Amino acid sequence: MGSSFTPIAPRPAPVNTEGLLPWIRRNLFGNLPSAVVTVLLVALALWLLPQLVSWAVLKAVVAPNFDLCQAARGSGACWGVITEKHRLIIFGRYPFDQQWRPEIATLALVALLMASCVRACWKPWLVALWVAVLALFFALMRGGVLGLAPVETDRWGGLPLTIMLATLSIVGAFPLAVVVALGRRSKMPAIKTICVVYVELIRGVPLISVLFMASFMFPLFMPPGTSIDVLIRVLVGITLFAAAYMAEIVRGGLQAIPKGQQEAADTLGLSYWQAQRKIILPQALALVVPGIMNNFIAIFKDTSLVTIVSLYELTGAMGLALNSDSDWRPFKIEAYLFIAAIYFAFCFSMSRYSLWIEKRLSFSKNR
Amino acid sequence: MTEPIITFDKVNKWYGNNFHVLRDIDLSVARGERIVICGPSGSGKSTLIRCINRLEEHQQGTLKVDGVELTDDVKAIEQIRKNVGMVFQQFNLFPHLTVLENLTLAPMWVGKLPKKDAEEKAMLQLKRVRIAEQAGKYPLQLSGGQQQRVAIARALCLTPKIMLFDEPTSALDPEMIKEVLDVMIELAAGGITMLCVTHEMGFAKAVADRVIFMDQGQIIEQNAPHAFFDNPQSERTKDFLSKILGH
């Protein structure tokens, strides 16, 4: 033959696959079963949506008027319960006239969390900022300084408590989890055993029992006269609990890193900690971002369990707000929807952030 | 005659209780010597060179590298690893770091070099393996041959006295083997001590001072390349050579 190589020029695809209409045709009416399901789902939506809109918007009562709410019961939502009780739901039993303090404290904490998500802020000063904001948070909440009236921790509640518990237990649990995961792979039998026992013990009990122990049993073992604030005990409990689960996620990531990476690090003379910090952990953690974020979200919602040891975070505060008032008690569904929306806003943001960070870290897959 | 840079004296190693992978290894390597080790798979050749920088532990006998005996002493291991570079079959580059970062990592963290100096040194090594223009890329964006050259440059950044190669071309497409071997041949000409596990017999003929044949954990035969290839002494060597050179 001996003919020379002539490249074939690229041609567009014969059928247009871009755009909305082709997409609908292909994905929603691709074949008969698919078309039937599409029609059924649209019909269901058309039947349900008007009822929902009617209940939630058209016939809803927004004014904090108990009589109007009673009248609309069954046909319209009573958002009035939120207008009436939102301060109790959001701030719990924190003294009413001092509520500007948790407001500022929580805003500062949320701003800090948002800043920590931005890559441009991953600088040494961020650590200093964390210390400063946490100090501000506790100074404002607790009082007793700068002429602020002291407020005991058992009166803290609502969203500030939820956010604070979640933030601190995540911040505490993550490094602990990394250390435990590394320890579980250690060649030193003592360290390995401690880590295995810790993980298995904690995973073997429900969070509720950990909280009970932290709250009621732990003080029995303390020397008389000494006491640690229940909030701190509970915080330590949640942190230890979350870290045990997270450690196993991190360990999964560590297992996935080829042995050659450690060998290459050894060959280059890196110490154990240098190798973990620079080579193994960056790759292992990038692999388990979805699992870790799953865990963070679970911790955020699990904070609602502290109600059983009489700390009234968001869910507990909502219960407190409505149960104490027999007039409004029937409108719990609306109140539940309200706090559900708050939980969702936080969890959904975490989930989106996780996707973003996952993309940023996918260094190895053809950027 | 100066002191040898590596000496194996009756070195034995087992994997588990029953797999006797290195059996009474006696070997001494002179400074600047270039040695090619070949043999069938499972013969212990990789294990042999991996003992030199303690990626594997030997259980009996003494092994000295550059005057330091390899024991459990971490300081001794650190000392030896500073002087021994290694190149792996699977490259083992760090995929989350750029090529340049792969090279500067150890000089900065182990050698305590300032970043700027480490980068200068790294660029010099990248030029040496003819890949300087890829410094900003990530390893997985490069071809296998390019990755292996980066791995060689990374090992050279610590200015080792000894370079170990563990089947450096076995994972490469045939087209890319030559570019890696060319770099290794240049390196050999520079006078560094080299131990290379490979089946590239052309490379052995071109650069080796000595070829070692291993089977079942033992050194069966060792000789200068022309003698080794033209006049193998043992039946086992003849058989092996006929298989790998027969096509």
Side-chain angles (χ1 to χ4, degrees):
Chain A
M1 298 284 276
S3 62
S4 64
F5 167 69
T6 13
I8 299 169
R11 295 184 295 263
V15 181
N16 180 19
T17 53
E18 310 273 315
L20 185 62
L21 267 176
W23 186 90
I24 289 176
R25 198 174 302 140
R26 196 174 55 235
N27 292 293
L28 301 182
F29 296 95
N31 50 34
L32 187 64
S34 160
V36 169
V37 171
T38 302
V39 169
L40 281 177
L41 286 177
V42 169
L44 190 69
L46 286 178
W47 178 60
L48 277 180
L49 265 180
Q51 300 187 42
L52 190 65
V53 171
S54 155
W55 180 79
V57 183
L58 300 178
K59 293 187 181 159
V61 178
V62 180
N65 185 321
F66 163 68
D67 294 323
L68 282 177
C69 273
Q70 271 301 3
R73 234 177 129 181
S75 60
C78 169
W79 301 122
V81 64
I82 290 149
T83 325
E84 171 77 17
K85 299 281 184 192
H86 70 275
R87 287 183 66 162
L88 252 178
I89 295 174
I90 290 179
F91 295 111
R93 298 193 297 160
Y94 206 88
F96 195 77
D97 56 341
Q98 299 287 321
Q99 276 175 9
W100 61 273
R101 283 159 55 180
E103 244 167 66
I104 294 175
T106 309
L107 284 177
L109 191 54
V110 170
L112 173 72
L113 289 172
M114 283 159 83
S116 307
C117 290
V118 180
R119 203 182 173 148
C121 299
W122 295 353
K123 300 271 164 59
W125 54 258
L126 190 62
V127 179
L129 192 65
W130 267 86
V131 174
V133 170
L134 286 177
L136 174 77
F137 183 92
F138 283 100
L140 277 172
M141 291 294 285
R142 204 148 181 278
V145 284
L146 306 167
L148 296 169
V151 177
E152 289 302 316
T153 50
D154 58 359
R155 301 211 55 184
W156 299 14
L159 192 58
L161 189 59
T162 296
I163 294 177
M164 186 272 279
L165 282 175
T167 305
L168 288 189
S169 45
I170 285 171
V171 166
F174 183 61
L176 181 60
V178 170
V179 170
V180 172
L182 290 172
R184 223 181 146 161
R185 286 160 52 91
S186 167
K187 290 196 187 89
M188 286 175 264
I191 290 181
K192 188 176 174 166
T193 312
I194 291 172
C195 293
V196 171
V197 168
Y198 162 68
V199 168
E200 297 304 337
L201 266 186
I202 298 273
R203 282 204 303 185
V205 294
L207 177 55
I208 289 198
S209 57
V210 173
L211 293 177
F212 261 116
M213 269 191 276
S215 172
F216 302 121
M217 279 176 65
F218 183 74
L220 302 178
F221 300 110
M222 294 286 291
T226 55
S227 80
I228 300 175
D229 195 294
V230 65
L231 194 63
I232 294 173
R233 279 181 271 137
V234 160
L235 198 54
V236 170
I238 300 177
T239 304
L240 291 177
F241 185 81
Y245 283 83
M246 225 183 292
E248 286 297 281
I249 299 176
V250 173
R251 192 167 69 92
L254 292 171
Q255 307 281 52
I257 305 304
K259 208 169 138 233
Q261 294 287 309
Q262 180 69 53
E263 286 181 353
D266 287 346
T267 304
L268 290 172
L270 286 136
S271 71
Y272 173 80
W273 287 109
Q274 284 173 338
Q276 303 308 316
R277 206 179 123 206
K278 292 278 156 188
I279 310 298
I280 309 297
L281 283 173
Q283 298 184 59
L285 294 178
L287 283 177
V288 295
V289 166
I292 297 215
M293 197 50 85
N294 216 2
N295 218 276
F296 285 3
I297 289 173
I299 296 171
F300 185 80
K301 292 181 296 178
D302 279 354
T303 54
S304 55
L305 288 171
V306 301
T307 308
I308 61 141
V309 292
S310 307
L311 288 171
Y312 296 99
E313 46 57 70
L314 189 56
T315 312
M318 191 275 290
L320 208 62
L322 267 69
N323 290 339
S324 58
D325 189 335
S326 58
D327 286 352
W328 291 103
R329 205 182 295 157
F331 305 103
K332 242 184 180 170
I333 290 179
E334 287 84 346
Y336 265 117
L337 284 174
F338 174 62
I339 63 164
I342 296 178
Y343 278 113
F344 180 80
F346 279 93
C347 295
F348 190 65
S349 322
M350 286 158 96
S351 148
R352 298 312 295 184
Y353 181 65
S354 154
L355 282 182
W356 178 80
I357 211 143
E358 224 179 292
K359 262 188 210 133
R360 288 224 54 134
L361 293 177
S362 62
F363 49 83
S364 51
K365 292 139 203 125
N366 336 297
R367 359 173 124 206
Chain B
M1 184 71 192
T2 52
E3 171 112 338
I5 194 161
I6 304 171
T7 44
F8 284 77
D9 186 12
K10 288 261 171 297
V11 168
N12 279 284
K13 172 169 180 62
W14 291 261
Y15 286 130
N17 282 332
N18 297 317
F19 185 23
H20 195 172
V21 62
L22 293 180
R23 305 180 193 177
D24 293 340
I25 299 288
D26 284 315
L27 174 69
S28 79
V29 180
R31 271 172 213 280
E33 200 180 6
R34 289 149 303 193
I35 293 180
V36 161
I37 304 166
C38 60
S41 75
S43 59
K45 26 185 217 312
S46 288
T47 309
L48 179 82
I49 67 166
R50 285 160 62 90
C51 282
I52 295 170
N53 64 354
R54 199 67 168 187
L55 286 186
E56 303 287 352
E57 248 171 76
H58 61 282
Q59 287 128 345
Q60 272 179 10
T62 48
L63 172 50
K64 270 192 190 170
V65 179
D66 199 24
V68 182
E69 187 180 343
L70 271 170
T71 55
D72 287 331
D73 180 13
V74 181
K75 283 269 171 287
I77 297 172
E78 273 175 18
Q79 173 69 28
I80 285 166
R81 283 179 176 165
K82 267 186 205 148
N83 291 324
V84 181
M86 187 164 203
V87 175
F88 300 86
Q89 182 176 356
Q90 300 296 343
F91 328 135
N92 294 353
L93 293 175
F94 306 130
H96 61 302
L97 302 177
T98 63
V99 166
L100 189 63
E101 287 165 345
N102 262 276
L103 267 70
T104 55
L105 185 78
M108 280 169 63
W109 289 86
V110 183
K112 307 283 177 220
L113 231 53
K115 188 174 179 195
K116 204 170 145 281
D117 297 2
E119 284 181 349
E120 261 169 41
K121 209 171 160 188
M123 287 312 293
L124 218 64
Q125 297 300 342
L126 284 176
K127 284 198 187 97
R128 192 167 167 188
V129 300
R130 293 184 290 277
I131 205 161
E133 70 283 359
Q134 313 280 13
K137 286 200 180 166
Y138 285 83
L140 295 184
Q141 294 172 307
L142 305 182
S143 74
Q146 290 173 322
Q147 288 189 55
Q148 194 59 300
R149 286 188 281 145
V150 171
I152 294 172
R154 180 175 71 179
L156 290 173
C157 274
L158 288 169
T159 45
K161 294 178 184 167
I162 304 167
M163 279 289 278
L164 307 174
F165 291 84
D166 191 359
E167 306 210 27
T169 56
S170 302
L172 295 176
D173 290 338
E175 284 183 271
M176 292 162 186
I177 291 178
K178 186 172 177 297
E179 63 186 59
V180 171
L181 289 181
D182 285 347
V183 165
M184 289 169 63
I185 290 168
E186 275 179 37
L187 190 61
I192 197 169
T193 309
M194 258 170 99
L195 279 87
C196 183
V197 174
T198 185
H199 294 136
E200 293 296 333
M201 292 304 140
F203 173 76
K205 283 175 190 163
V207 307
D209 298 307
R210 184 165 28 145
V211 179
I212 292 177
F213 175 68
M214 285 185 75
D215 192 20
Q216 295 180 20
Q218 300 175 45
I219 294 176
I220 306 279
E221 186 164 345
Q222 42 182 319
N223 220 330
H226 64 92
F228 179 84
F229 290 112
D230 300 341
N231 187 19
Q233 300 298 305
S234 81
E235 282 306 313
R236 186 68 192 89
T237 316
K238 281 178 196 162
D239 181 50
F240 178 75
L241 285 176
S242 74
K243 277 179 187 147
I244 65 164
L245 300 173
H247 50 80

